[in-house]
Amino acid sequence: MIESEIETKVSSQTVWQAWKKAHAMDATFLPGHKGALKTEGGSRFTYRILDVRDGESFTILWKSMFVRLIFTHAVIPQLRGAKISYRVQIKGFFAWPVRYFLSEKIRRNLKSILKSLVKELESSR
């Protein structure tokens, strides 16, 4: 499992609202439904929702040929803000080589995404 976490001064509700906006969470953001995100490069990232715990966490599944990536986004309230964590599980026939060759890159990307999210949220307070 690949994990990254960061603390922020904003509340867990603020983080959850940002995720709701980014993933267009509405009444259809339920396990089994499908969604899509657009990457900075312009490509489309299609996923299926596995689990949603309103205000706390959600898990999505991205499938590629012979590999499944399971992304869990979680936010935990802290005394002065929140702790945000992203977790990625890699499963499937080619999971081992993907983990071996891409784990560090995925870890760096998670850290970068979390830092960008916190910077954006804290600057818009």
Side-chain angles (χ1 to χ4, degrees), residues 10-115:
V10 300
S11 69
S12 60
Q13 295 91 351
T14 302
V15 175
W16 188 256
Q17 291 304 317
W19 284 341
K20 282 181 78 166
K21 184 178 176 184
H23 290 273
M25 289 188 216
D26 54 19
T28 63
F29 201 78
L30 299 168
H33 283 84
K34 295 182 180 179
L37 286 174
K38 202 172 190 181
T39 65
E40 289 179 11
S43 57
R44 205 168 146 95
F45 170 70
T46 305
Y47 59 86
R48 184 168 49 94
I49 303 162
L50 298 179
D51 182 50
V52 178
R53 293 184 182 151
D54 195 43
E56 295 176 21
S57 67
F58 66 96
T59 302
I60 59 177
L61 168 69
W62 176 78
K63 288 197 273 186
S64 182
M65 195 167 244
F66 303 111
V67 178
R68 296 182 320 273
L69 281 88
I70 301 167
F71 295 87
T72 301
H73 301 63
V75 61
I76 301 164
Q78 300 290 299
L79 189 58
R80 297 176 190 212
K83 183 186 293 185
I84 309 166
S85 70
Y86 286 175
R87 210 171 334 157
V88 180
Q89 296 176 37
I90 304 170
K91 297 186 175 193
F93 187 74
F94 288 128
W96 183 87
V98 169
R99 275 193 298 268
Y100 181 78
F101 289 107
L102 296 178
S103 285
E104 265 319 299
K105 182 176 181 178
I106 293 170
R107 187 177 277 90
R108 281 193 311 269
N109 285 340
L110 291 178
K111 284 183 182 184
S112 174
I113 291 166
L114 283 170
K115 285 180 182 179

